Amino acid sequence: MEPDDQVMAGPGERRVAEAAERIVAEGRPRLHRTWASLVATALLGGIDVSVGVMTLLFVKHETGSDLLAGLAFSVGLIALLLGHSELFTEGFLVPVSTVIAGAATWLDLLRLWVTVLVMNLAGGWAFMWIVMRAFPELRPTAAEAGARFVDGGYSLGTFCLAVLGGGVITLMTRMHHGTESMTGKITASVSAAFVLAGLGLWHSVLDSLIAFGGLHTGRTSYGYADWLAWLGWAVLGNVVGGLLLTTALRLVRSAPVLREDAPATDAGDT
């Protein structure tokens, strides 16, 4: 056996190879969904995350603690996991790996990204309208929390917060595919929620839903134009973080497996 083959035959590398195979197996149907299925799944993703945001705002209102509120937000990420819905920043590691393996095209990836982002925001906007009517006592908390992001400014520091936000969510996806244990996956979701929301990292969808809660009160220092400009900044940072901090390095490690999968995947399409 050649030295490289001996390395790839090790238990650690076998687990990496198995994770890469699971990623491509999951990514192929995700990138080839019908329009109706994709829109519905992304809308549900926005609603699932909104449940976490509702819980976050309630805990923040009652305790004043960002760390406890971040832990409460884990409800949203667990709902995403168990409900098999789609979040925009979950579309980095799995779909990009699938394209690299030859199981989908870059156009399929662009379709996924744009549709999921728009539908996440649409579903979240509607759900947060309901939340603000159901819990009027949360309105000041939502307005204050939304302003923290939208009025945060455009600097290297805020861009880095968005980069870290994209990296943390993609790391969560990587951990999900590194184990078949549901307990392990839920632990990864709770951990990511705590780091993301508890530390105030910037996430294009999560923080937009908080901002929507504030906008629904009609008493914010920012408007929809301000939010849209902020969204562009946050999406750019999330994409950079998700692709460079986690996805690119995982692709380097998984490249041999993805190259092996490409011919078989292509053959399956004929």
Side-chain angles (χ1 to χ4, degrees):
M1 182 181 293
E2 295 296 327
D4 287 348
D5 294 336
Q6 292 175 352
V7 171
M8 291 304 295
E13 297 305 321
R14 283 200 301 271
R15 285 193 290 270
V16 170
E18 290 167 359
E21 291 167 355
R22 286 197 296 269
I23 285 171
V24 174
E26 177 191 325
R28 187 177 182 183
R30 281 176 63 181
L31 282 162
H32 293 290
R33 287 190 182 114
T34 64
W35 279 105
S37 176
L38 180 58
V39 167
T41 304
L43 279 171
L44 285 172
I47 293 171
D48 289 344
V49 173
S50 295
V51 174
V53 171
M54 176 179 64
T55 310
L56 179 154
L57 291 175
F58 189 85
V59 172
K60 173 67 175 175
H61 172 74
E62 293 294 326
T63 68
S65 171
D66 290 326
L67 295 178
L68 289 177
L71 190 60
F73 174 67
S74 60
V75 171
L77 296 188
I78 293 173
L80 277 171
L81 171 67
L82 300 183
H84 302 287
S85 50
E86 189 92 41
L87 179 64
F88 168 63
T89 45
E90 286 187 306
F92 297 145
L93 178 62
V94 173
V96 171
S97 298
T98 304
V99 171
I100 296 297
T105 68
W106 292 106
L107 186 60
D108 293 327
L109 180 63
L110 181 62
R111 168 181 174 263
L112 175 74
W113 281 353
V114 172
T115 305
V116 170
L117 177 59
V118 172
M119 292 299 105
N120 279 172
L121 295 173
W125 184 92
F127 192 91
M128 292 308 298
W129 184 91
I130 298 172
V131 170
M132 290 298 102
R133 271 50 188 182
F135 299 103
E137 68 273 19
L138 297 182
R139 293 175 184 177
T141 304
E144 179 183 352
R148 177 179 173 185
F149 297 106
V150 178
D151 294 338
Y154 307 100
S155 64
L156 178 59
T158 58
F159 185 73
C160 288
L161 285 173
V163 169
L164 290 171
V168 166
I169 285 292
T170 309
L171 174 61
M172 180 191 73
T173 305
R174 186 180 126 199
M175 290 191 289
H176 283 171
H177 289 88
T179 179
E180 295 182 353
S181 165
M182 185 55 68
T183 300
K185 293 180 180 183
I186 291 175
T187 301
S189 295
V190 173
S191 301
F194 178 74
V195 174
L196 182 68
L199 301 186
L201 304 184
W202 282 22
H203 186 275
S204 50
V205 175
L206 160 62
D207 302 332
S208 287
L209 303 188
I210 295 174
F212 288 159
L215 286 166
H216 287 319
T217 71
R219 300 176 182 176
T220 57
S221 59
Y222 58 91
Y224 280 100
D226 302 308
W227 161 75
L228 191 59
W230 172 88
L231 178 65
W233 189 244
V235 166
L236 179 61
N238 287 170
V239 170
V240 170
L243 293 182
L244 295 186
L245 290 184
T246 303
T247 300
L249 297 176
R250 172 56 68 180
L251 288 175
V252 169
R253 195 173 184 196
S254 304
V257 178
L258 296 178
R259 285 197 298 267
E260 290 173 3
D261 284 348
T265 303
D266 292 340
D269 291 336
T270 58

